């Protein structure tokens, strides 16, 4: 085998290893530090809390939870210590959110990673789904992530019992160092990522045919 061929094989293997060695983090918003769980709207909460998600047709996965906050909250920021620091480098950040039944402006939240922040704006989304990614670059390792309510665009989620306050509802944050990823993971993809298993991007995103 020629030296040039050996070098080509090594370079290919390094490229494959790099692609499959992406740092991927799935962070459930309801698991941010200190969030108390409720089966109903908690409109007098001081900040973010965990709200039960029970409606499968609305995009929730059965009796799970999401993070929620109302416009009268006095503490707009929630934080979470990461299980392991996120190394310096470039990342894509995705946010899975729900829209409101009524709105007159955009919902806005910021996901903070050290000195970097990914800003998400949305409206008119009837169920939990992924918003388009934002790219951030970390100049140093980050050990904590924050979730900040910036603007409340509307209220109501087509439920039988609704409050009268503007509300933000956040389900999941996804962070990946693979800058070729264009969509957040499906339920199956999330399970694979959490188990630490490698899979093609079309499998992780649920777009495999």
């Amino acid at each position: 085998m020629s030296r040039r061929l050996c070098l080509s094989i090594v370079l290919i293997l390094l490229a494959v290893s790099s692609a499959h060695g992406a740092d991927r983090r799935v962070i459930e918003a309801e698991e941010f530090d200190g969030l108390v769980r409720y089966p109903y709207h908690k409109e007098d909460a001081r900040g973010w809390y965990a709200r039960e998600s029970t409606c499968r047709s609305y995009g929730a996965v059965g009796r799970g939870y999401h993070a929620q906050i109302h416009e009268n909250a006095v503490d707009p920021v929630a934080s979470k210590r990461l299980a392991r620091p996120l190394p310096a480098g470039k990342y894509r950040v995705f946010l899975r959110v729900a829209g409101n039944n009524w709105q007159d402006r955009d919902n806005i939240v910021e996901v903070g990673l050290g000195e970097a922040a990914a800003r998400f704006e949305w409206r008119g989304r009837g169920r939990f789904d992924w918003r388009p990614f934002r790219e951030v670059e970390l100049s140093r390792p980050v050990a904590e992530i924050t979730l900040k309510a910036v603007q409340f665009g509307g209220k109501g989620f087509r439920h039988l019992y609704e409050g009268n306050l503007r509300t933000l509802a956040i389900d999941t944050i996804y962070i990946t160092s693979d800058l070729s990823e264009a969509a957040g993971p499906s339920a199956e993809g999330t399970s694979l990522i959490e188990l630490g298993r490698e899979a093609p991007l079309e499998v992780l995103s649920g777009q495999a045919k």
Side-chain angles (χ1 to χ4, degrees):
M1 186 180 294
S2 70
R3 187 173 181 179
R4 180 176 295 179
L5 180 57
C6 288
L7 179 59
S8 297
I9 293 174
V10 169
L11 291 175
I12 291 171
L13 290 175
L14 286 174
V16 172
S17 175
S18 175
H20 285 283
D23 193 340
R24 297 183 173 96
R25 312 285 181 97
V26 176
I27 303 168
E28 299 296 342
E30 70 272 12
E31 294 178 359
F32 269 59
D33 298 338
L35 268 60
V36 179
R37 296 191 170 192
Y38 295 96
Y40 45 76
H41 294 310
K42 181 68 173 173
E43 293 191 335
D44 60 349
R46 292 180 55 82
W48 292 92
Y49 64 96
R51 168 70 159 88
E52 186 174 286
S53 306
T54 58
C55 184
R56 291 179 183 273
S57 64
Y58 189 60
V61 289
R63 298 180 64 83
Y65 286 83
H66 63 270
Q68 188 162 287
I69 189 171
H70 302 291
E71 62 182 323
N72 60 339
V74 297
D75 186 359
V77 180
S79 63
K80 178 177 174 59
R81 191 79 177 173
L82 297 175
R84 64 184 190 282
L86 198 61
K90 293 183 178 180
Y91 295 88
R92 285 188 172 181
V93 182
F94 298 81
L95 193 68
R96 192 168 186 258
V97 306
N100 304 108
N101 189 35
W102 174 89
Q103 63 272 313
D104 59 359
R105 59 192 182 201
D106 289 341
N107 289 313
I108 305 176
V109 302
E110 287 184 354
V111 176
L113 292 165
E115 298 175 353
R119 185 182 179 95
F120 294 87
E121 304 178 9
W122 76 95
R123 67 161 71 190
R125 314 298 294 188
R127 54 186 287 124
F128 284 110
D129 64 0
W130 292 105
R131 304 305 300 139
F133 66 83
R134 300 290 186 267
E135 285 193 5
V136 299
E137 184 169 6
L138 309 183
S139 60
R140 58 177 62 90
V142 169
E144 184 179 72
I145 184 172
T146 60
L147 181 62
K148 180 180 180 180
V150 177
Q151 179 170 287
F152 296 82
K155 58 186 177 181
F157 300 99
R158 295 186 178 89
H159 291 168
L160 181 59
Y161 300 105
E162 292 283 16
N164 197 39
L165 295 177
R166 293 173 183 263
T167 304
L168 297 172
I170 311 297
D171 186 52
T172 312
I173 300 166
Y174 176 54
I175 304 170
T176 176
S177 63
D178 185 344
L179 302 185
S180 68
E181 292 190 51
S186 63
E188 294 77 12
T190 297
S191 297
L192 290 171
I193 292 168
E194 291 176 338
L195 289 171
R197 296 180 180 176
E198 297 292 346
L201 295 185
E202 58 268 22
V203 173
L204 294 180
S205 65
Q207 298 175 352
K209 295 181 180 179

